[in-house]
Structures are given as structure tokens and as C-alpha cells.
Amino acid sequence: ALVERHMTARTENLARGLAYQGIDPRKVSVNWRDYRESTREDSVKAAKADILLDEIARRENIDAMESEVEAELARIAERAGKSREAVRAQMAKEGDLGALASRIREEKTLDLLKSNASIELTSPRTTPLGARSSRWWSSRRPAASGRTTSTPGS
């Protein structure tokens, strides 16, 4: 279901983008079913990332506070030229308040991950066959018992 939601969202985003450019999505020669299906691989990756971020947020007790939701509603209202109450009412009617809180939680989780990560550029390594190694970076996060390093492929 999560993958399907991502596929639908990607398809709707394309249609909205066309409409934003003044192009009627119904009048373009796009096979929407094929386009939606073509997003499956990226949607699977996005769903896996969602699950991972949700688990990290749960373990780290990260949540969107009401004050953060209210602050974001105020920013949206200012950009839209509406009152915060009107934006809140519209989002509640459309069922988008939960999505707003989820987005704030995700951003806080990503901020935590970024604050605990370091990127280290290294010189390209040569493998026995003369090909370059794909290890260009490493991510480090303090562990309870010391410092650990994880790299892609290890």
C-alpha cells in the first residue's frame, strides 16, 4: 500500500506540474497507467526510506510538536495570503494535517541524521582489475560503546 501511494503521488505530481505550466494533463499524450507503473522502482525505494525514517524517529522519540505544526501553518498561511485558521480548517477538511505533522517529524529525523553524520572524501582507490573503487565516503555516528564507521557495501 505504501508503494502504491508513492506511485500515485508521483503521478499526481506530474499532472499538477503540467497544470501549473498551463498544460491540461488530460490532453497530453501520456499513458498515465504506464507512467505510474514506471515509477514503481523509485516508489519502492521511497517506501523503504519512509519505513527506515519512521523507525529511527520512533527509537529516538521524535515527534512533531503542536507549536511546530502551528508555526508551519503560519508560514503556509503567509505564503497563501490567508489566515492560519483558514489554512488549518482547509487542511483539516482535506485530511492534510496528519501529513503536515509527518513531514515535520521526517525533517526532524533527517536533521538528527545529518547532525550525526560526517562525510569524508577519500582518494579513488584502484582495484586489482584497475577499476576505481566505489568507496568515496563514509558516515560516522557515535555509538554507545565508542565510535563506529559504516560505509556503503560493508
Side-chain angles (χ1 to χ4, degrees):
L2 185 56
V3 172
E4 296 294 322
R5 281 200 308 263
H6 275 282
M7 291 169 65
T8 298
R10 289 168 187 267
T11 303
E12 289 172 352
N13 285 341
L14 176 60
R16 266 194 297 279
L18 291 170
Y20 182 75
Q21 295 175 44
I23 301 168
D24 186 342
R26 295 169 297 197
K27 295 183 179 176
V28 295
S29 60
V30 172
N31 181 323
W32 292 101
R33 283 192 180 118
D34 286 349
Y35 175 78
R36 185 178 183 284
E37 190 57 37
S38 76
T39 68
R40 183 171 297 278
E41 185 178 335
D42 288 338
S43 295
V44 167
K45 290 176 186 175
K48 287 178 180 180
D50 285 351
I51 293 166
L52 180 62
L53 287 173
D54 187 60
E55 181 61 17
I56 292 168
R58 186 189 67 74
R59 289 182 184 196
E60 297 292 333
N61 296 315
I62 298 172
D63 259 318
M65 297 186 312
E66 186 61 30
S67 61
E68 294 166 322
V69 172
E70 290 300 320
E72 186 59 24
L73 285 170
R75 281 190 285 279
I76 294 168
E78 185 178 330
R79 285 192 306 263
K82 298 179 180 179
S83 72
R84 187 183 57 183
E85 293 76 19
V87 170
R88 175 184 269 289
Q90 180 182 351
M91 290 184 80
K93 179 181 174 188
E94 296 172 1
D96 290 337
L97 284 176
L100 177 62
S102 293
R103 187 176 52 108
I104 292 168
R105 182 180 190 224
E106 181 178 295
E107 288 171 1
K108 290 172 69 174
T109 305
L110 288 169
D111 288 344
L112 173 74
L113 292 172
K114 286 188 271 186
S115 72
N116 286 297
S118 65
I119 297 174
E120 187 177 297
L121 297 176
T122 61
S123 300
R125 295 183 183 173
T126 305
T127 65
L129 299 175
R132 288 185 174 208
S133 169
S134 63
R135 183 174 177 233
W136 282 80
W137 60 274
S138 67
S139 171
R140 295 186 180 146
R141 181 170 185 203
S145 63
R147 198 148 172 92
T148 61
T149 301
S150 62
T151 58
S154 63

